[in-house]
Amino acid sequence: EEELTEIEASESAQYLEVQENTRVSATKRLVVADDEPLPETLALSVKRFENIFIDCPEALKDQFELVPEGQHFNHPQVSGIRYGNKIFVQRKINTKIKNCNQILFNGVEYELVSVLPHLGESLNTGHYTFMGKVDGRWIYKDDANKPEILTEQKQNKLISQGRLFYYKKVTAMDQ
């Protein structure tokens, strides 16, 4: 798993290449041209899924051969689209996110105001929910439930599953 521990803006972007299944600590960097005005809101998207091609497990080869090219191969062990001798699958990336309630961007403070967590193992089978700050308290809304006020523990859990993060520029009136 990767761990994103802070979000900060800087003058230059850095790229980090990591070996698969290696735990790293990373800082997300944002770059804006010096002559552009800073936005009132920021929307940050965290990559939660990756698409990869895998080899069919040897034990499933007979079943796999029965599936036509480009069709869905569905088995409890592996599920995806058949392309030649490979299976195209979507894999969830479990990046833990902490300390993201405020960010400093080119000297301007932004406050986290809402998060869209993704619950589920793929974009095809998951469910987006909503958490937002209302009158200084975090609420959670799911299609199946009434809005609820979040405990700090549940808030942190949902933030760790966040896919989209929305920030508002802090003004003198907000402080």
Side-chain angles (χ1 to χ4, degrees):
E1 289 185 341
E2 293 178 49
E3 185 175 282
L4 183 61
T5 56
E6 64 183 62
I7 299 174
E8 124 188 353
S10 76
E11 307 251 336
S12 63
Q14 277 188 322
Y15 297 94
L16 178 66
E17 194 173 310
V18 294
Q19 186 177 1
E20 190 172 344
N21 297 323
T22 302
R23 187 180 178 108
V24 299
S25 181
T27 300
K28 181 79 172 178
R29 299 206 183 271
L30 306 172
V31 179
V32 172
D34 290 335
D35 58 345
E36 293 204 20
L38 292 176
E40 293 299 313
T41 58
L42 294 175
L44 301 178
S45 173
V46 175
K47 184 176 181 180
R48 289 289 184 201
F49 300 96
E50 66 180 344
N51 298 316
I52 59 172
F53 286 94
I54 63 169
D55 293 320
C56 181
E58 197 62 42
L60 302 178
K61 290 269 186 190
D62 290 340
Q63 294 173 47
F64 180 71
E65 292 299 324
L66 299 174
V67 176
E69 178 84 16
Q71 296 297 309
H72 197 266
F73 176 70
N74 194 15
H75 187 275
Q77 190 176 341
V78 64
S79 180
I81 307 295
R82 179 180 178 184
Y83 287 102
N85 294 326
K86 301 276 187 183
I87 304 172
F88 179 74
V89 298
Q90 193 174 72
R91 186 170 68 177
K92 186 165 188 175
I93 300 170
N94 291 309
T95 303
K96 292 181 181 174
I97 299 173
K98 300 188 244 178
N99 304 327
C100 65
N101 288 324
Q102 293 180 333
I103 59 175
L104 192 60
F105 189 71
N106 287 357
V108 176
E109 187 178 338
Y110 285 84
E111 175 186 19
L112 183 65
V113 292
S114 65
V115 177
L116 296 179
H118 183 274
L119 312 177
E121 292 304 311
S122 79
L123 288 171
N124 299 329
T125 62
H127 180 66
Y128 282 96
T129 60
F130 169 82
M131 63 179 278
K133 207 173 206 181
V134 177
D135 297 327
R137 300 191 306 187
W138 284 95
I139 61 160
Y140 176 71
K141 180 69 177 109
D142 187 331
D143 294 340
N145 303 311
K146 292 181 179 179
E148 67 176 279
I149 296 173
L150 292 175
T151 63
E152 186 174 344
Q153 182 180 6
K154 188 162 184 181
Q155 176 189 335
N156 290 336
K157 180 181 178 187
L158 290 167
I159 284 175
S160 76
Q161 297 171 324
R163 170 80 171 83
L164 298 168
F165 294 79
Y166 294 90
Y167 289 85
K168 177 183 93 167
K169 188 188 289 186
V170 176
T171 65
M173 291 175 47
D174 294 328
Q175 296 179 346

